[in-house]
Amino acid sequence: QPVVIPRQGTGRGRAPMGRTVGLTVEADFVVQQLTVVLNAWRAPSVSSLQFSLMSPAGTIVDLFLNAGGNDGASIVNLRLTDAAQTPVELGVSPFNDEFRPEDELSTFAGESSVGEWKLYARDSSDDPTDGLLRYVALRFDCPDDVTSGSGGETATGSAPTGTSTPATGSTGSAGGSTGSAGGSSTGSAGGSSTGS
């Protein structure tokens, strides 16, 4: 069952906020490039949703702040990467493509990967419909020796169904009935969710 994103009224939030999803990375390497993958839902529009990411070192990057205008209730396989040409604020639902996040993910460059990364999710609407986080994954470009020559690392969390299968690297799958998630692949990671 997807994780409910709590409503916290209008306005653009700043992490920490709303629901927290923990994504634990066990492999220790210097962060270079990072892609964040999101699946979420909110009717009538995802434009009230806000997501931010905090590294184990405490650095916060805003990923998605009220993007999408007033059209569409789904975020499907949204890939947030600095390499994308189109900023996420110009995207429309279902966001099934690569977009540039609100802030640059390169802000994390040079930090250690190991530890708990935190995704903060907030619904800035004050109407009675709950937003839902269905899936989140962090995909790192990292040294070849981190995952036995594959050159990738993936952390997944939140939704109890779904898996992440990157082109390279290990994968963790989400599971459970309380919005928790775990990964069991070599050098992979798992996540859990908490509310506030």
Side-chain angles (χ1 to χ4, degrees):
Q1 189 168 351
V3 175
V4 173
I5 302 173
R7 299 185 306 280
Q8 296 188 326
T10 58
R12 287 166 71 92
R14 180 72 177 172
M17 60 187 185
R19 186 162 307 272
T20 303
V21 176
L23 299 155
T24 301
V25 176
E26 296 174 355
D28 188 2
F29 54 90
V30 175
V31 175
Q32 300 172 14
Q33 296 182 10
L34 168 64
T35 298
V36 181
V37 184
L38 286 172
N39 285 300
W41 177 90
R42 194 199 184 282
S45 171
V46 295
S47 63
S48 64
L49 298 182
Q50 302 176 355
F51 299 98
S52 299
L53 182 66
M54 186 169 74
S55 71
T59 303
I60 297 172
V61 167
D62 287 330
L63 304 173
F64 183 106
L65 297 178
N66 307 112
N70 294 315
D71 297 323
S74 295
I75 297 174
V76 179
N77 199 30
L78 166 62
R79 283 97 65 203
L80 293 165
T81 171
D82 289 347
Q85 296 297 311
T86 306
V88 70
E89 58 264 29
L90 298 182
V92 294
S93 178
F95 289 97
N96 187 12
D97 206 341
E98 291 188 346
F99 291 91
R100 229 171 35 247
E102 292 278 348
D103 295 338
E104 293 182 355
L105 290 166
S106 61
T107 304
F108 297 125
E111 295 187 8
S112 171
S113 62
V114 71
E116 185 178 52
W117 294 72
K118 293 180 179 179
L119 180 81
Y120 295 104
R122 175 180 185 262
D123 187 343
S124 64
S125 174
D126 56 4
D127 73 32
T129 303
D130 288 324
L132 300 173
L133 177 64
R134 291 176 166 158
Y135 179 79
V136 58
L138 308 180
R139 296 180 181 173
F140 298 88
D141 290 337
C142 60
D144 288 345
D145 59 355
V146 170
T147 52
S148 302
S150 62
E153 166 78 0
T154 300
T156 63
S158 92
T161 58
T163 59
S164 172
T165 309
T168 60
S170 56
T171 178
S173 61
S177 58
T178 59
S180 65
S184 59
S185 303
T186 303
S188 71
S192 61
S193 64
T194 59
S196 60

